[in-house]
Protein backbone atom coordinates (compact mmCIF):
# COMPACT_ATOMS: atom_id res chain seq x y z
CA UNK A 1 0.00 0.00 0.00
CA UNK A 2 1.44 3.39 -1.00
CA UNK A 3 1.99 6.12 1.58
CA UNK A 4 -1.01 8.38 2.11
CA UNK A 5 -0.74 11.77 0.32
CA UNK A 6 -2.14 14.51 2.56
CA UNK A 7 -2.89 18.17 1.88
CA UNK A 8 -1.73 20.68 4.53
CA UNK A 9 -4.57 21.69 6.84
CA UNK A 10 -6.49 18.43 6.60
CA UNK A 11 -7.99 17.61 10.02
CA UNK A 12 -7.72 14.33 11.88
CA UNK A 13 -8.54 12.62 15.16
CA UNK A 14 -6.17 10.78 17.53
CA UNK A 15 -7.09 7.06 17.71
CA UNK A 16 -4.24 6.30 20.14
CA UNK A 17 -0.93 7.91 21.08
CA UNK A 18 2.36 7.47 22.88
CA UNK A 19 5.39 9.55 23.79
CA UNK A 20 8.68 7.85 22.93
CA UNK A 21 11.42 8.34 25.53
CA UNK A 22 13.80 5.56 24.38
CA UNK A 23 14.29 6.04 20.61
CA UNK A 24 16.35 4.42 17.88
CA UNK A 25 19.68 6.21 17.15
CA UNK A 26 18.03 8.05 14.21
CA UNK A 27 15.53 9.76 16.54
CA UNK A 28 17.85 10.51 19.48
CA UNK A 29 17.78 14.27 18.73
CA UNK A 30 13.95 14.39 18.86
CA UNK A 31 13.19 12.38 22.01
CA UNK A 32 10.88 12.66 23.78
CA UNK A 33 8.43 12.94 20.88
CA UNK A 34 4.76 12.10 20.47
CA UNK A 35 3.44 9.60 17.91
CA UNK A 36 -0.21 8.92 17.21
CA UNK A 37 -2.41 6.73 15.09
CA UNK A 38 -4.53 9.32 13.32
CA UNK A 39 -7.73 9.00 11.35
CA UNK A 40 -8.08 11.86 8.88
CA UNK A 41 -11.38 13.43 7.84
CA UNK A 42 -11.05 11.36 4.63
CA UNK A 43 -11.11 8.18 6.70
CA UNK A 44 -7.40 7.38 6.10
CA UNK A 45 -5.44 5.90 8.98
CA UNK A 46 -1.74 6.55 9.45
CA UNK A 47 0.99 6.97 12.01
CA UNK A 48 2.49 10.41 12.45
CA UNK A 49 4.36 12.67 14.83
CA UNK A 50 2.27 15.12 16.81
CA UNK A 51 3.71 18.50 17.76
CA UNK A 52 2.35 20.74 20.50
CA UNK A 53 1.82 17.91 23.02
CA UNK A 54 3.89 19.69 25.68
CA UNK A 55 1.56 22.74 25.56
CA UNK A 56 -1.86 21.07 25.11
CA UNK A 57 -3.20 17.75 26.44
CA UNK A 58 -2.76 14.87 24.01
CA UNK A 59 -5.66 12.42 24.39
CA UNK A 60 -7.60 9.74 22.53
CA UNK A 61 -10.13 11.69 20.46
CA UNK A 62 -8.02 14.89 20.35
CA UNK A 63 -8.24 16.93 17.12
CA UNK A 64 -5.07 17.40 15.07
CA UNK A 65 -4.23 19.12 11.79
CA UNK A 66 -1.77 17.85 9.18
CA UNK A 67 1.08 20.35 8.91
CA UNK A 68 3.87 18.90 6.78
CA UNK A 69 5.81 15.80 5.85
CA UNK A 70 9.56 15.64 6.39
CA UNK A 71 12.10 12.88 5.81
CA UNK A 72 10.82 11.24 9.02
CA UNK A 73 7.21 11.14 7.86
CA UNK A 74 3.99 13.09 8.45
CA UNK A 75 3.74 15.75 11.17
CA UNK A 76 0.47 16.87 12.75
CA UNK A 77 -0.24 19.72 15.17
CA UNK A 78 -2.61 19.49 18.11
CA UNK A 79 -5.73 21.63 17.86
CA UNK B 1 -1.28 -36.56 9.03
CA UNK B 2 0.99 -38.44 11.46
CA UNK B 3 0.86 -37.61 15.14
CA UNK B 4 3.85 -35.80 16.62
CA UNK B 5 5.29 -36.06 20.12
CA UNK B 6 8.05 -34.29 22.04
CA UNK B 7 10.55 -36.47 23.88
CA UNK B 8 13.30 -34.00 24.83
CA UNK B 9 13.42 -30.43 26.14
CA UNK B 10 16.10 -28.13 27.51
CA UNK B 11 17.01 -24.46 27.76
CA UNK B 12 19.88 -22.31 28.92
CA UNK B 13 19.34 -19.75 31.62
CA UNK B 14 18.03 -16.56 29.97
CA UNK B 15 19.78 -13.26 30.70
CA UNK B 16 23.18 -11.70 30.11
CA UNK B 17 25.43 -14.64 29.30
CA UNK B 18 29.17 -15.07 28.90
CA UNK B 19 28.46 -17.71 26.26
CA UNK B 20 28.53 -16.92 22.52
CA UNK B 21 25.57 -17.41 20.17
CA UNK B 22 26.81 -20.81 19.04
CA UNK B 23 27.67 -21.94 22.56
CA UNK B 24 24.16 -21.07 23.77
CA UNK B 25 22.49 -22.93 20.89
CA UNK B 26 24.73 -25.98 21.37
CA UNK B 27 24.13 -26.09 25.14
CA UNK B 28 20.35 -26.13 24.67
CA UNK B 29 20.47 -28.63 21.79
CA UNK B 30 22.74 -31.08 23.62
CA UNK B 31 20.49 -30.71 26.66
CA UNK B 32 17.40 -31.70 24.67
CA UNK B 33 19.17 -34.73 23.16
CA UNK B 34 20.43 -35.81 26.59
CA UNK B 35 16.97 -35.32 28.10
CA UNK B 36 15.53 -37.68 25.46
CA UNK B 37 18.37 -40.19 25.77
CA UNK B 38 19.03 -39.63 22.05
CA UNK B 39 22.27 -39.63 20.06
CA UNK B 40 23.09 -36.84 17.59
CA UNK B 41 23.19 -39.47 14.85
CA UNK B 42 19.44 -40.06 15.25
CA UNK B 43 18.55 -36.48 14.26
CA UNK B 44 17.32 -36.29 10.67
CA UNK B 45 16.74 -32.53 10.33
CA UNK B 46 17.33 -29.28 12.24
CA UNK B 47 15.10 -26.20 12.29
CA UNK B 48 16.62 -23.16 14.01
CA UNK B 49 14.56 -20.13 15.00
CA UNK B 50 16.60 -16.94 15.12
CA UNK B 51 15.59 -13.35 14.48
CA UNK B 52 18.67 -11.33 13.64
CA UNK B 53 22.02 -12.97 14.42
CA UNK B 54 23.53 -11.13 11.45
CA UNK B 55 23.07 -7.75 13.11
CA UNK B 56 23.36 -8.88 16.75
CA UNK B 57 26.54 -10.96 16.37
CA UNK B 58 27.55 -10.63 12.67
CA UNK B 59 26.66 -14.21 11.85
CA UNK B 60 24.10 -15.25 9.25
CA UNK B 61 23.70 -18.74 7.83
CA UNK B 62 23.38 -20.07 11.37
CA UNK B 63 21.48 -23.34 10.81
CA UNK B 64 24.36 -25.29 9.22
CA UNK B 65 26.72 -23.62 11.70
CA UNK B 66 24.80 -25.09 14.65
CA UNK B 67 24.25 -28.43 12.87
CA UNK B 68 27.99 -28.81 12.31
CA UNK B 69 28.86 -27.69 15.86
CA UNK B 70 26.54 -30.48 17.07
CA UNK B 71 28.15 -33.02 14.77
CA UNK B 72 24.95 -33.47 12.75
CA UNK B 73 26.89 -33.96 9.58
CA UNK B 74 25.10 -33.38 6.26
CA UNK B 75 21.53 -33.36 7.63
CA UNK B 76 19.19 -30.71 6.19
CA UNK B 77 19.29 -27.63 8.44
CA UNK B 78 17.13 -24.54 8.01
CA UNK B 79 16.89 -21.21 9.79
CA UNK B 80 13.38 -19.85 10.31
CA UNK B 81 12.72 -16.12 10.85
CA UNK B 82 9.38 -14.64 11.90
CA UNK B 83 10.56 -11.86 14.26
CA UNK B 84 9.83 -12.73 17.91
CA UNK B 85 7.77 -15.73 16.73
CA UNK B 86 10.80 -17.30 15.00
CA UNK B 87 11.03 -20.02 17.66
CA UNK B 88 7.45 -21.25 17.43
CA UNK B 89 7.57 -21.01 13.64
CA UNK B 90 10.66 -23.24 13.64
CA UNK B 91 8.67 -25.69 15.76
CA UNK B 92 5.80 -25.58 13.23
CA UNK B 93 8.29 -26.32 10.43
CA UNK B 94 9.62 -29.34 12.30
CA UNK B 95 6.14 -30.53 13.16
CA UNK B 96 4.95 -30.34 9.58
CA UNK B 97 7.99 -32.27 8.35
CA UNK B 98 7.25 -35.14 10.74
CA UNK B 99 3.47 -34.99 10.21
CA UNK B 100 4.08 -35.24 6.45
CA UNK B 101 6.15 -38.36 6.96
CA UNK B 102 9.48 -36.91 5.76
CA UNK B 103 11.37 -37.53 9.02
CA UNK B 104 10.88 -39.37 12.32
CA UNK B 105 13.29 -37.33 14.50
CA UNK B 106 13.70 -33.53 14.21
CA UNK B 107 15.62 -31.15 16.44
CA UNK B 108 14.14 -27.66 16.91
CA UNK B 109 16.34 -24.96 18.43
CA UNK B 110 15.71 -21.28 19.14
CA UNK B 111 18.59 -18.93 19.93
CA UNK B 112 19.46 -15.24 20.19
CA UNK B 113 22.44 -13.29 21.55
CA UNK B 114 21.34 -9.70 22.20
CA UNK B 115 23.27 -8.23 25.13
CA UNK B 116 26.52 -7.49 23.29
CA UNK B 117 24.72 -4.77 21.28
CA UNK B 118 24.10 -1.20 22.61
CA UNK B 119 20.46 -0.56 23.67
CA UNK B 120 19.72 2.11 21.01
CA UNK B 121 21.05 -0.21 18.29
CA UNK B 122 18.97 -3.11 19.69
CA UNK B 123 15.90 -0.85 19.67
CA UNK B 124 16.46 -0.28 15.92
CA UNK B 125 17.15 -3.96 15.15
CA UNK B 126 13.86 -4.87 16.81
CA UNK B 127 12.05 -1.99 15.04
CA UNK B 128 13.05 -3.58 11.74
CA UNK B 129 10.38 -6.23 12.46
CA UNK B 130 7.73 -3.50 12.13
CA UNK B 131 6.64 -1.85 8.84
CA UNK B 132 9.82 0.14 8.16
CA UNK B 133 8.36 2.59 5.61
CA UNK B 134 5.25 3.46 7.61
CA UNK B 135 6.22 2.89 11.26
CA UNK B 136 9.91 2.50 12.14
CA UNK B 137 11.04 5.27 9.76
CA UNK B 138 8.39 7.51 11.35
CA UNK B 139 9.91 6.90 14.81
CA UNK B 140 7.88 3.97 16.17
CA UNK B 141 9.73 1.54 18.43
CA UNK B 142 8.35 -1.78 19.69
CA UNK B 143 7.62 -0.40 23.15
CA UNK B 144 5.90 2.43 21.25
CA UNK B 145 3.68 0.03 19.27
CA UNK B 146 2.55 -1.74 22.43
CA UNK B 147 2.14 1.63 24.16
CA UNK B 148 -0.37 2.54 21.42
CA UNK B 149 -2.25 -0.69 22.23
CA UNK B 150 -2.04 -0.03 25.98
CA UNK B 151 -3.38 3.52 25.63
CA UNK B 152 -6.23 2.29 23.41
CA UNK B 153 -7.09 -0.53 25.84
CA UNK B 154 -6.99 1.61 29.00
CA UNK B 155 -9.13 4.26 27.28
CA UNK B 156 -11.69 1.84 25.79
CA UNK B 157 -12.35 -0.05 29.02
CA UNK B 158 -11.70 2.72 31.56
CA UNK B 159 -8.79 1.07 33.40
CA UNK B 160 -5.83 2.71 35.12
CA UNK B 161 -2.30 1.39 34.96
CA UNK B 162 -2.81 -0.87 37.99
CA UNK B 163 -3.80 -3.70 35.61
CA UNK B 164 -0.36 -3.39 33.97
CA UNK B 165 1.31 -3.38 37.40
CA UNK B 166 -0.53 -6.61 38.29
CA UNK B 167 1.01 -8.45 35.31
CA UNK B 168 4.56 -7.28 36.03
CA UNK B 169 4.31 -8.06 39.76
CA UNK B 170 2.85 -11.56 39.12
CA UNK B 171 5.41 -12.50 36.49
CA UNK B 172 8.36 -11.34 38.59
CA UNK B 173 6.94 -13.36 41.50
CA UNK B 174 6.56 -16.47 39.30
CA UNK B 175 10.15 -16.19 38.03
CA UNK B 176 11.46 -16.50 41.60
CA UNK B 177 10.80 -20.26 41.31
CA UNK B 178 12.35 -20.59 37.83
CA UNK B 179 16.10 -21.34 37.77
CA UNK B 180 16.20 -20.48 34.02
CA UNK B 181 14.76 -16.96 34.54
CA UNK B 182 16.73 -13.77 33.94
CA UNK B 183 15.29 -12.01 37.01
CA UNK B 184 14.96 -13.40 40.51
CA UNK B 185 13.63 -10.22 42.04
CA UNK B 186 10.15 -9.51 43.37
CA UNK B 187 8.86 -6.04 42.47
CA UNK B 188 6.15 -3.75 43.83
CA UNK B 189 3.87 -1.08 42.37
CA UNK B 190 6.20 1.51 43.97
CA UNK B 191 9.18 0.10 42.03
CA UNK B 192 7.18 0.40 38.82
CA UNK B 193 6.09 3.96 39.60
CA UNK B 194 9.74 4.94 40.11
CA UNK B 195 11.01 3.24 36.94
CA UNK B 196 11.80 5.39 33.89
CA UNK B 197 9.27 5.92 31.10
CA UNK B 198 10.13 4.06 27.87
CA UNK B 199 7.06 4.81 25.73
CA UNK B 200 4.17 6.41 27.60
CA UNK B 201 2.30 4.72 29.32
CA UNK B 202 4.85 1.87 29.39
CA UNK B 203 7.73 2.13 31.87
CA UNK B 204 10.85 0.01 32.06
CA UNK B 205 9.01 -2.53 34.25
CA UNK B 206 6.29 -2.96 31.60
CA UNK B 207 8.92 -4.16 29.10
CA UNK B 208 10.54 -7.56 28.71
CA UNK B 209 14.33 -7.34 29.02
CA UNK B 210 17.07 -7.70 26.42
CA UNK B 211 18.38 -11.25 26.82
CA UNK B 212 20.71 -13.96 25.59
CA UNK B 213 19.50 -17.53 25.57
CA UNK B 214 18.60 -20.70 23.71
CA UNK B 215 16.04 -23.48 24.00
CA UNK B 216 15.61 -26.80 22.21
CA UNK B 217 13.11 -29.63 21.83
CA UNK B 218 13.31 -33.03 20.16
CA UNK B 219 10.26 -33.88 18.03
CA UNK B 220 9.50 -37.43 16.97
CA UNK B 221 6.77 -39.34 15.18
CA UNK B 222 4.39 -40.39 18.00
CA UNK B 223 4.69 -44.09 17.14
CA UNK B 224 8.47 -43.88 17.70
CA UNK B 225 8.21 -42.04 21.03
CA UNK B 226 8.53 -45.13 23.22
CA UNK B 227 12.13 -45.57 22.05
CA UNK B 228 13.22 -42.53 24.08
CA UNK B 229 13.96 -42.01 27.76
CA UNK B 230 11.30 -39.46 28.75
CA UNK B 231 7.49 -39.80 28.65
CA UNK B 232 6.28 -38.27 25.40
CA UNK B 233 4.33 -35.03 25.44
CA UNK B 234 1.73 -34.99 22.67
CA UNK B 235 1.31 -32.14 20.19
CA UNK B 236 -2.49 -31.93 20.09
CA UNK B 237 -2.94 -28.85 17.96
CA UNK B 238 -1.35 -25.76 16.55
CA UNK B 239 -2.44 -22.70 14.64
CA UNK B 240 -0.45 -20.06 12.82
CA UNK B 241 -1.77 -16.81 11.38
CA UNK B 242 -0.51 -13.52 9.97
CA UNK B 243 -1.64 -9.90 9.73
CA UNK B 244 -0.42 -6.49 8.54
CA UNK B 245 2.98 -5.53 9.92
CA UNK B 246 1.64 -2.02 10.51
CA UNK B 247 -0.42 -1.76 13.68
CA UNK B 248 -2.35 1.32 12.49
CA UNK B 249 -3.86 -0.64 9.57
CA UNK B 250 -5.94 -2.69 12.01
CA UNK B 251 -9.36 -1.33 12.94
CA UNK B 252 -9.13 -2.27 16.65
CA UNK B 253 -5.88 -1.75 18.57
CA UNK B 254 -7.07 -3.74 21.60
CA UNK B 255 -6.87 -7.23 20.08
CA UNK B 256 -4.49 -9.19 17.81
CA UNK B 257 -6.66 -10.76 15.09
CA UNK B 258 -3.82 -13.15 14.15
CA UNK B 259 -3.76 -14.47 17.71
CA UNK B 260 -7.53 -15.07 17.62
CA UNK B 261 -7.22 -16.92 14.30
CA UNK B 262 -4.24 -18.99 15.46
CA UNK B 263 -6.02 -19.88 18.70
CA UNK B 264 -9.21 -20.95 16.93
CA UNK B 265 -7.20 -23.20 14.60
CA UNK B 266 -5.28 -24.75 17.51
CA UNK B 267 -8.41 -25.36 19.60
CA UNK B 268 -10.19 -26.90 16.61
CA UNK B 269 -7.29 -29.22 15.77
CA UNK B 270 -6.94 -30.31 19.41
CA UNK B 271 -10.70 -30.63 19.91
CA UNK B 272 -10.58 -28.66 23.16
CA UNK B 273 -11.85 -25.30 24.41
CA UNK B 274 -10.20 -22.52 26.46
CA UNK B 275 -11.70 -23.83 29.71
CA UNK B 276 -9.88 -27.17 29.26
CA UNK B 277 -6.42 -25.53 29.37
CA UNK B 278 -4.42 -26.12 32.60
CA UNK B 279 -1.86 -23.34 32.04
CA UNK B 280 -0.70 -20.94 29.34
CA UNK B 281 2.68 -19.49 28.43
CA UNK B 282 1.82 -16.29 26.56
CA UNK B 283 3.88 -13.65 24.76
CA UNK B 284 4.07 -10.86 27.36
CA UNK B 285 6.73 -8.83 25.56
CA UNK B 286 4.98 -5.93 27.34
CA UNK B 287 2.52 -6.13 30.23
CA UNK B 288 -0.42 -5.05 28.07
CA UNK B 289 0.33 -7.91 25.66
CA UNK B 290 -0.45 -10.51 28.35
CA UNK B 291 -3.83 -8.93 29.11
CA UNK B 292 -4.77 -8.81 25.42
CA UNK B 293 -3.50 -12.40 24.96
CA UNK B 294 -5.78 -13.75 27.70
CA UNK B 295 -8.73 -12.27 25.78
CA UNK B 296 -7.55 -13.34 22.31
CA UNK B 297 -7.09 -16.91 23.62
CA UNK B 298 -10.67 -16.98 24.90
CA UNK B 299 -9.90 -17.18 28.63
CA UNK B 300 -11.75 -13.89 29.22
CA UNK B 301 -14.21 -11.72 27.28
CA UNK B 302 -12.93 -8.54 25.60
CA UNK B 303 -12.33 -5.94 28.31
CA UNK B 304 -12.32 -8.51 31.13
CA UNK B 305 -8.63 -9.45 30.88
CA UNK B 306 -7.59 -6.35 32.81
CA UNK B 307 -9.94 -7.12 35.71
CA UNK B 308 -8.84 -10.78 35.66
CA UNK B 309 -5.19 -9.73 35.98
CA UNK B 310 -6.01 -7.34 38.83
CA UNK B 311 -8.09 -9.99 40.65
CA UNK B 312 -5.37 -12.68 40.46
CA UNK B 313 -7.25 -15.00 38.08
CA UNK B 314 -4.02 -15.54 36.10
CA UNK B 315 -1.75 -16.24 39.07
CA UNK B 316 -0.34 -19.73 39.73
CA UNK B 317 -3.31 -20.67 41.92
CA UNK B 318 -5.87 -18.72 39.86
CA UNK B 319 -8.58 -19.77 37.40
CA UNK B 320 -6.06 -20.00 34.51
CA UNK B 321 -2.36 -19.80 35.45
CA UNK B 322 -0.63 -17.57 32.88
CA UNK B 323 3.15 -17.51 32.54
CA UNK B 324 4.09 -19.66 35.54
CA UNK B 325 7.67 -19.46 34.16
CA UNK B 326 7.75 -15.69 34.73
CA UNK B 327 6.99 -15.02 31.06
CA UNK B 328 9.03 -12.89 28.71
CA UNK B 329 8.76 -10.15 31.31
CA UNK B 330 10.82 -11.89 34.00
CA UNK B 331 12.09 -15.16 32.49
CA UNK B 332 13.59 -13.08 29.68
CA UNK B 333 13.13 -12.60 25.93
CA UNK B 334 16.02 -13.76 23.72
CA UNK B 335 13.73 -13.29 20.72
CA UNK B 336 14.54 -16.35 18.57
CA UNK B 337 14.61 -18.60 21.64
CA UNK B 338 11.40 -17.36 23.23
CA UNK B 339 8.84 -19.49 21.38
CA UNK B 340 10.84 -22.67 21.93
CA UNK B 341 11.41 -21.69 25.57
CA UNK B 342 7.64 -21.41 26.05
CA UNK B 343 7.25 -24.97 24.73
CA UNK B 344 10.06 -26.16 27.05
CA UNK B 345 8.21 -24.72 30.05
CA UNK B 346 4.96 -26.35 28.88
CA UNK B 347 6.75 -29.70 28.59
CA UNK B 348 8.31 -29.40 32.07
CA UNK B 349 4.84 -28.60 33.47
CA UNK B 350 3.17 -31.55 31.69
CA UNK B 351 5.88 -33.94 32.90
CA UNK B 352 5.56 -32.65 36.48
CA UNK B 353 9.16 -31.38 36.44
CA UNK B 354 8.53 -27.67 37.06
CA UNK B 355 9.62 -27.71 40.72
CA UNK B 356 8.40 -24.78 42.80
CA UNK B 357 6.35 -23.39 39.93
CA UNK B 358 4.55 -26.67 39.11
CA UNK B 359 0.83 -26.39 38.32
CA UNK B 360 -0.63 -29.48 40.01
CA UNK B 361 -2.35 -31.94 37.71
CA UNK B 362 -1.45 -30.06 34.50
CA UNK B 363 -3.07 -31.93 31.61
CA UNK B 364 -3.12 -29.43 28.75
CA UNK B 365 -0.69 -26.56 28.21
CA UNK B 366 -1.04 -23.76 25.64
CA UNK B 367 1.71 -21.56 24.21
CA UNK B 368 1.20 -18.22 22.38
CA UNK B 369 4.16 -16.72 20.51
CA UNK B 370 3.81 -13.37 18.72
CA UNK B 371 5.99 -11.76 16.06
CA UNK B 372 6.09 -7.98 15.75
CA UNK B 373 2.99 -6.20 16.99
CA UNK B 374 0.90 -9.22 16.00
CA UNK B 375 1.81 -9.80 12.33
CA UNK B 376 2.69 -13.42 13.17
CA UNK B 377 1.09 -15.55 15.82
CA UNK B 378 1.56 -19.23 16.63
CA UNK B 379 -0.58 -21.01 19.23
CA UNK B 380 0.22 -24.57 20.28
CA UNK B 381 -1.62 -27.00 22.56
CA UNK B 382 0.35 -29.81 24.18
CA UNK B 383 -1.05 -32.71 26.20
CA UNK B 384 0.37 -34.85 28.99
CA UNK B 385 1.76 -38.23 28.08
CA UNK B 386 -1.03 -40.79 27.81
Amino acid sequence: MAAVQLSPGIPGTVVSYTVIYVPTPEFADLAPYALAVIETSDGERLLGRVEGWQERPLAVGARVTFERADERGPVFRLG
Amino acid sequence: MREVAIVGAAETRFGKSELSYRELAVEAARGALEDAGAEPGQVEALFLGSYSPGTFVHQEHVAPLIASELGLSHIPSTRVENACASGATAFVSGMMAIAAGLYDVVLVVGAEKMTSTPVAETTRILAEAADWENESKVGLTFPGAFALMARAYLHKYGYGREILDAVAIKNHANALANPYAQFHKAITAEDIAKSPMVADPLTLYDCSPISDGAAAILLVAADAARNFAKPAVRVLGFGQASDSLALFRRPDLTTLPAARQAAQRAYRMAGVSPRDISLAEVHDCFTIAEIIATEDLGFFEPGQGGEAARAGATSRDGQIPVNPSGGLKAKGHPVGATGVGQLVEAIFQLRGEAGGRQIDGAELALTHNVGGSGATCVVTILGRAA
Side-chain angles (χ1 to χ4, degrees):
Chain A
M1 205 181 293
V4 178
Q5 296 298 318
L6 297 176
S7 312
I10 192 167
T13 307
V14 171
V15 175
S16 191
Y17 68 94
T18 181
V19 177
I20 306 285
Y21 288 85
V22 180
T24 60
E26 292 79 2
F27 281 80
D29 60 314
L30 269 185
Y33 55 92
L35 287 176
V37 175
I38 288 156
E39 189 162 304
T40 69
S41 56
D42 302 342
E44 294 280 2
R45 270 199 183 205
L46 72 164
L47 182 74
R49 293 206 315 281
V50 177
E51 293 185 342
W53 63 276
Q54 280 141 322
E55 293 83 44
R56 290 155 166 264
L58 179 54
V60 174
R63 308 287 296 169
V64 294
T65 308
F66 175 67
E67 206 171 73
R68 65 183 193 278
D70 60 25
E71 69 284 358
R72 290 152 151 171
V75 180
F76 292 79
R77 181 155 292 279
L78 259 174
Chain B
M1 197 176 90
R2 294 201 303 169
E3 279 192 41
V4 178
I6 307 173
V7 293
E11 59 192 336
T12 67
R13 185 173 175 185
F14 288 1
K16 187 168 173 55
S17 174
E18 295 301 310
L19 299 181
S20 68
Y21 175 91
R22 73 180 74 188
E23 289 168 336
L24 287 163
V26 165
E27 180 183 315
R30 288 208 175 119
L33 291 171
E34 197 175 304
D35 183 52
E39 296 299 325
Q42 291 175 270
V43 176
E44 295 171 278
L46 169 72
F47 290 94
L48 172 60
S50 223
Y51 167 56
S52 199
T55 40
F56 282 129
V57 294
H58 311 291
Q59 181 68 63
E60 304 285 16
H61 209 178
V62 284
L65 172 74
I66 300 309
S68 62
E69 291 282 324
L70 289 166
L72 309 177
S73 58
H74 307 307
I75 65 161
S77 60
T78 307
R79 168 177 160 198
V80 178
E81 189 272 304
N82 252 347
C84 302
S86 298
T89 313
F91 158 77
V92 168
S93 304
M95 222 212 82
M96 291 194 295
I98 293 179
L102 287 172
Y103 312 116
D104 289 333
V105 182
V106 170
L107 183 61
V108 175
V109 181
E112 210 79 54
K113 174 81 183 174
M114 303 171 73
T115 69
S116 40
T117 308
V119 171
E121 176 76 11
T122 298
T123 301
R124 184 183 53 216
I125 295 169
L126 295 173
E128 287 167 356
D131 181 331
W132 183 265
E133 288 291 320
N134 296 296
E135 294 184 311
S136 320
K137 206 177 78 178
V138 179
L140 191 66
T141 60
F142 262 98
F146 282 85
L148 290 169
M149 290 186 224
R151 180 63 69 198
Y153 186 93
L154 297 178
H155 176 82
K156 182 174 181 181
Y157 298 115
Y159 287 116
R161 71 149 296 128
E162 67 277 3
I163 61 168
L164 306 177
D165 293 354
V167 173
I169 292 166
K170 168 185 69 75
N171 287 350
H172 273 263
N174 285 352
L176 291 172
N178 187 351
Y180 301 102
Q182 180 159 356
F183 296 129
H184 292 137
K185 181 184 165 211
I187 61 165
T188 64
E190 293 72 53
D191 295 327
I192 298 168
K194 282 188 288 188
S195 74
M197 197 62 85
V198 174
D200 185 39
L202 302 182
T203 72
L204 186 62
Y205 275 124
D206 289 299
C207 305
S208 56
I210 292 166
S211 316
D212 306 326
I217 54 179
L218 192 67
L219 300 182
V220 300
D223 54 15
R226 73 178 70 86
N227 304 328
F228 296 87
K230 283 287 172 74
V233 166
R234 295 175 298 156
V235 180
L236 300 176
F238 81 96
Q240 181 179 343
S242 54
D243 203 344
S244 64
L245 262 67
L247 178 65
F248 68 83
R249 297 222 196 278
R250 304 184 207 144
D252 184 352
L253 304 183
T254 65
T255 178
L256 304 186
R260 289 185 175 269
Q261 286 288 331
Q264 280 172 23
R265 290 169 191 164
Y267 286 130
R268 197 181 314 129
M269 186 187 283
V272 302
S273 72
R275 74 178 67 87
D276 300 319
I277 302 297
S278 313
L279 67 109
E281 284 286 311
V282 311
H283 197 93
D284 60 326
C285 47
F286 301 92
T287 48
I288 184 64
E290 177 169 313
I291 291 169
I292 289 174
T294 60
E295 298 176 4
D296 289 340
L297 293 167
F299 299 138
F300 305 108
E301 292 297 314
Q304 294 303 304
E307 178 53 30
R310 182 164 57 191
T314 54
S315 64
R316 260 194 334 240
D317 55 359
Q319 172 194 333
I320 171 70
V322 174
N323 286 327
S325 70
L328 284 58
K329 176 71 205 75
K331 180 188 177 187
H333 184 25
V335 290
T338 290
V340 183
Q342 293 176 319
L343 291 162
V344 169
E345 174 70 12
I347 294 158
F348 289 163
Q349 290 283 353
L350 293 170
R351 297 197 311 209
E353 296 174 354
R357 62 191 190 285
Q358 180 67 44
I359 306 301
D360 290 335
E363 295 277 346
L364 293 178
L366 179 148
T367 65
H368 159 278
N369 191 199
V370 173
S373 59
T376 295
C377 189
V378 180
V379 172
T380 307
I381 298 169
L382 303 182
R384 193 159 76 175

